[in-house]
C-alpha cells in the first residue's frame, strides 16, 4: 500500500531530540506507562469524515483540499478508492482505529434500498482493508443530520415517518458496525433539539428520543452487537438548544429513560467549551457517574465561538485529560478519536500527517506528564489533606449518616463558629503541575 502517499514512510518513533517532521517525538506505541503500552492507553482513531471527507468548504468559500484520489463526482467506485487511501494513511500513521458515519463511507442512492446496497458494497472493501492492515473500527454511527429530511430532527422530528427512516438507517449502521467488529456505536444528536418552543413539544420529542434508544438497545441484543453505546453531548450547533447539552444533561436523560445501564458518554473537547465548561469538568462529570466511555479529541479557539474542531496541541489540556483518564482507570473499550480537521489553508495531503502526528505526540506528552505527577504524589497528597476534616470525627460521622440537622445544630450552638478555614492554595496546586510540564 504505497499508492496515495508515496513520499511518506510508516511514521517511526525517533524520540524528543528528533527534528524529523514525519516522526513521533513522544508517541512510542509499545512504551509502558503505568504498566500499560501507550497504544492501549489511547486507542487512537482517525475520523473518516474530517480526514477523508473534509473539503475545506466554509460558508464563505469553495473547497480547497487537494485529494488526488477523489474523482470529480462521487460513486461507489470512488468511495472504494478513497477507502484505499484512508487505510494507507491510517496504517502509515500507526493509529490502531478509525471511526465513521454511514454516509462518510458510501454515497446515498435514490432510495433507502439503493443507499443500503451502496453501503454494503463499501463495507465489503472496508472489511478486506481491515483484514489486510490490522486497522480496527473504534465506532460507527449514522449521519442523521445532513440530509434535508432531518431538518426537524431525526428521532425528535415532528414527522413520524422521519423517525421511521432514522430507525431504518441506525438499524443498517448497527449491522455494518457489527460486521466490521466495531467496539462502540455513537449517537451524536445532530439535529435533536429546537429553535423555538412556540413550535416545539419538548417533552414529546424527548420521549421519542428515549424510545428510539431503547429500540437500538433491543436490536443490538437481537443481532448480537455487544459493543458499547455512547451519546455525545454538544450544547448547540446546528440547533439552538441541543437536547444533549452537556454531560450533566446526558446523565439526567439516560437515568430518566432507564438507559444508563446501556449507554456511556463520548466527551468532545470543543463541545465542552461550547457548553461553557472545561474538558476536565465534562470528563469528571461523566466519570463520577461511571459513564465515561470515550473521547473525541480536538480543541476550539478561545477567540472564536464555534466548533472549530482543531487538532489538540496544548500540553496543559492533554495533561489535564490524562490525569482524569488515568484516575478513572482508562477508556477501553472507548478510545481517543481525533474529531478534528486540518485548517482550510492546510490543503495538501501531507498536512493530514502533520496534524495527527502533532496530536498523538501532544497526548503522549500529556500521558507521561500525568504519570509523573501521579508517581510524585504531592498533588494527590495536597488534595487528600484539603478534605481531611471528613476522614475522622465529625466529617466521618456525617458521611456515614449518623448525624442529622438536630445534632449538627446542637454542636454548632455549642461551638459558636466552625474551625478556621485553610487556604485553598490554587496557585500552589498550579505550580506543582507546572513542575512536571
Ligand atoms: C459534531 C460531531 C460529530 C460526532 C459524530 O460536532 O462531533 O462528528 O462526533 O456524529
Ligand atoms: Co464528535
Amino acid at each position: 500500500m504505497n499508492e496515495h502517499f508515496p513520499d511518506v514512510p510508516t511514521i517511526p518513533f525517533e524520540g524528543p531530540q528528533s527534528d524529523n517532521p514525519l516522526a513521533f517525538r513522544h508517541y512510542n506505541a509499545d512504551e509502558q506507562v503505568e504498566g500499560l503500552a501507550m497504544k492501549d492507553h489511547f486507542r487512537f482513531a482517525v475520523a473518516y469524515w474530517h480526514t477523508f471527507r473534509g473539503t475545506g468548504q466554509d460558508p464563505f468559500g469553495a473547497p480547497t483540499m487537494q485529494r488526488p484520489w477523489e474523482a470529480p463526482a462521487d460513486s461507489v467506485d470512488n468511495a472504494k478508492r478513497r477507502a484505499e487511501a484512508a487505510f494507507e494513511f491510517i496504517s502509515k500513521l500507526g493509529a490502531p482505529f478509525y471511526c465513521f458515519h454511514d454516509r462518510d463511507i458510501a454515497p446515498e442512492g435514490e432510495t433507502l434500498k439503493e443507499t443500503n446496497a451502496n453501503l454494503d458494497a463499501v463495507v465489503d472493501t472496508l472489511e478486506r482493508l481491515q483484514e489486510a492492515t490490522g486497522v480496527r473500527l473504534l465506532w460507527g454511527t449514522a449521519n442523521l443530520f445532513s440530509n434535508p429530511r432531518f431538518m426537524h430532527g431525526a428521532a425528535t422530528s415532528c414527522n413520524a415517518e422521519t423517525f421511521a427512516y432514522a430507525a431504518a438507517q441506525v438499524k443498517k449502521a448497527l449491522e455494518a458496525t457489527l460486521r466490521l467488529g466495531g467496539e462502540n456505536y455513537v449517537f451524536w444528536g445532530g439535529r435533536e433539539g429546537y429553535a423555538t418552543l412556540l413550535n416545539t413539544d419538548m417533552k414529546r420529542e424527548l420521549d421519542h428520543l428515549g424510545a428510539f434508544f431503547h429500540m437500538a438497545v433491543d436490536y443490538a441484543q437481537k443481532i448480537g452487537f455487544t459493543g458499547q453505546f455512547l451519546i455525545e453531548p454538544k450544547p448547540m450547533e446546528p440547533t439552538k438548544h441541543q437536547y444533549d447539552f452537556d454531560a450533566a444533561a446526558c446523565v439526567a436523560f439516560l437515568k430518566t429513560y432507564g438507559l444508563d445501564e446501556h449507554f456511556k458518554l463520548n466527551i468532545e473537547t470543543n463541545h465542552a467549551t461550547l457548553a461553557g465548561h472545561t474538558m476536565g469538568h465534562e470528563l469528571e462529570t461523566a466519570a463520577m457517574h461511571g459513564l465515561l466511555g470515550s473521547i473525541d479529541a480536538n480543541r476550539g479557539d478561545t477567540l472564536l465561538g464555534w466548533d472549530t474542531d482543531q487538532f489538540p496541541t496544548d500540553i496543559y489540556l492533554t495533561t489535564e485529560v490524562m490525569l482524569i483518564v488515568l484516575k478513572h482507570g482508562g477508556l477501553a473499550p472507548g478510545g481517543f478519536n481525533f474529531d478534528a480537521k486540518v485548517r482550510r489553508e492546510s490543503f495538501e495531503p501531507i498536512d493530514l500527517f502533520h496534524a495527527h502526528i502533532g496530536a498523538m505526540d501532544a497526548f503522549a506528552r500529556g500521558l507521561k506528564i500525568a504519570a509523573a505527577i501521579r508517581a510524585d504524589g504531592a498533588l494527590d497528597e495536597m488534595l487528600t489533606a484539603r478534605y481531611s476534616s471528613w476522614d475522622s470525627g465529625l466529617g466521618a460521622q456525617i458521611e456515614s449518616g449518623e448525624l442529622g440537622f438536630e445534632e449538627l445544630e446542637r454542636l454548632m450552638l455549642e461551638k459558636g463558629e466552625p474551625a478556621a478555614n485553610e487556604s485553598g492554595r490554587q496557585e500552589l496546586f498550579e505550580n506543582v503541575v507546572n513542575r512536571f510540564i
Side-chain angles (χ1 to χ4, degrees), residues 149-202:
R149 72 175 69 88
F150 298 119
M151 65 173 68
H152 302 304
T156 65
S157 176
C158 49
N159 180 346
E161 288 203 355
T162 304
F163 180 105
Y165 192 101
Q169 198 177 321
V170 170
K171 175 180 177 290
K172 186 73 187 169
L174 264 172
E175 290 161 8
T177 302
L178 173 67
R179 225 183 109 191
L180 294 170
E183 299 188 21
N184 304 265
Y185 185 90
V186 165
F187 290 91
W188 166 58
R191 292 189 192 273
E192 314 294 22
Y194 70 93
T196 170
L197 276 179
L198 292 175
N199 71 2
T200 302
D201 186 337
M202 180 153 55

Side-chain angles (χ1 to χ4, degrees), residues 91-107:
S91 313
K92 285 183 168 175
L93 181 68
F97 291 100
Y98 72 117
C99 300
F100 64 68
H101 300 83
D102 48 3
R103 302 301 173 249
D104 306 331
I105 56 174

